[in-house]
Amino acid sequence: MTEKKKAVETVPETIRAAENKFSKEQLLMSERFKDRRDIADALLDDGVLYTVKDVEQKIENYMKGKVK
């Protein structure tokens, strides 16, 4: 029996760049930030939407002492 290989689909750059954005409340309730909830609560503003990457970067900068 011959095995057919599936073609690897590539995601267009425009779709890849469009990340989901979440409110502060959603991020604070997420499992991903449960250990850093206090820091995220202090760094994030109410009413603003953030990507997960944005929040991780803010936390990393804060931990390194590079707060703006």
Side-chain angles (χ1 to χ4, degrees):
M1 248 170 75
T2 59
E3 197 174 311
K4 292 184 180 180
K5 293 185 179 182
K6 293 182 180 181
V8 176
E9 293 182 29
T10 58
V11 179
E13 187 64 34
T14 55
I15 294 174
R16 204 175 319 156
E19 294 184 42
N20 293 329
K21 292 190 176 190
F22 304 96
S23 69
K24 175 181 176 177
E25 294 78 21
Q26 289 174 312
L27 291 162
L28 294 178
M29 297 305 297
S30 71
E31 186 71 23
R32 185 176 199 132
F33 295 108
K34 73 176 185 177
D35 294 334
R36 300 175 286 176
R37 194 165 285 145
D38 291 339
I39 296 171
D41 188 28
L43 295 175
L44 302 179
D45 296 321
D46 292 325
V48 179
L49 299 178
Y50 299 94
T51 64
V52 171
K53 188 183 284 188
D54 291 340
V55 177
E56 289 176 342
Q57 187 64 50
K58 282 182 174 287
I59 292 172
E60 183 179 328
N61 288 344
Y62 176 79
M63 298 301 283
K64 288 182 179 180
K66 296 180 182 176
V67 179
K68 293 182 180 179

